Amino acid sequence: MQSSLAYVDLYSEPDALYCSGSHPLYALDDDDPSMHDAIASSRIVARGYLQQHDLRMLSASKAAATVDNVEAQAMLILSGAYIGYLPRHYAARWVATGEMRPVSPARYGLEWPFCATIRKGASTPPILKVFMVDLQQSFEAFAQRDARTRESAKAPSRKR
């Protein structure tokens, strides 16, 4: 069966696994042999709509807490009692102050694609065509600015 929907790629958003400065993972090097066990024994906070994915990424069976938005997730991570995934751009302010750090980003980092979804049809309304061109151009300009910002905001891997 063929889909009646068409997907137009707009951008991708990088996520990383984060812990706070008061969490035991913060002091571990990313290549520490005990890192995997330390993650497995940590309490995980996950957004409800990504929970199963996050748990698979971390080889975990359940989340200790489930939230509906990144703001609540960030607050629980900052408490030091939980680890969890956040968009890199959202966590950047706490990474810059040392309140959070990405944990083994090469292993646990990921990219989420964002797409516009439209119905395939015999004729696309002109207004939708114009809108899609404008939307794609806007995101291309955003992607160029964002690429420069990401390079300057990347947190180095934790190695000593």
Side-chain angles (χ1 to χ4, degrees):
M1 181 175 170
Q2 209 172 41
S3 174
S4 62
L5 300 175
Y7 299 91
V8 179
D9 291 334
L10 298 174
Y11 69 100
S12 64
E13 181 178 80
D15 273 18
L17 177 64
Y18 288 92
C19 69
S20 79
S22 61
H23 193 280
L25 286 176
Y26 195 90
L28 288 180
D29 291 338
D30 285 338
D31 56 359
D32 188 304
S34 66
M35 179 63 79
H36 183 72
D37 290 338
I39 289 172
S41 66
S42 294
R43 297 175 69 194
I44 299 165
V45 56
R47 285 168 274 165
Y49 54 93
L50 295 174
Q51 183 171 356
Q52 293 307 310
H53 179 273
D54 291 358
L55 294 175
R56 276 193 306 276
M57 286 288 294
L58 300 172
S59 300
S61 60
K62 67 177 185 168
T66 303
V67 296
D68 292 327
N69 56 65
V70 294
E71 294 84 0
Q73 191 168 24
M75 294 303 107
L76 287 175
I77 293 168
L78 286 166
S79 77
Y82 299 87
I83 62 171
Y85 280 94
L86 290 172
R88 282 184 171 266
H89 70 86
Y90 188 77
R93 68 184 114 179
W94 295 295
V95 170
T97 63
E99 294 174 82
M100 268 188 204
R101 83 168 185 92
V103 177
S104 296
R107 180 172 182 178
Y108 296 107
L110 53 108
E111 295 267 337
W112 288 105
F114 280 73
C115 304
T117 307
I118 58 173
R119 185 175 26 185
K120 290 180 186 174
S123 68
T124 303
I127 190 71
L128 180 56
K129 288 179 185 176
V130 170
F131 174 75
M132 290 304 295
V133 167
D134 188 50
L135 184 64
Q136 286 178 291
Q137 288 174 345
S138 295
F139 275 103
E140 286 168 7
F142 170 78
Q144 291 170 357
R145 284 191 315 271
D146 189 50
R148 291 188 298 269
T149 303
R150 284 185 192 185
E151 284 305 311
S152 64
K154 273 189 180 173
S157 184
R158 182 80 167 203
K159 293 195 178 192
R160 293 180 190 174

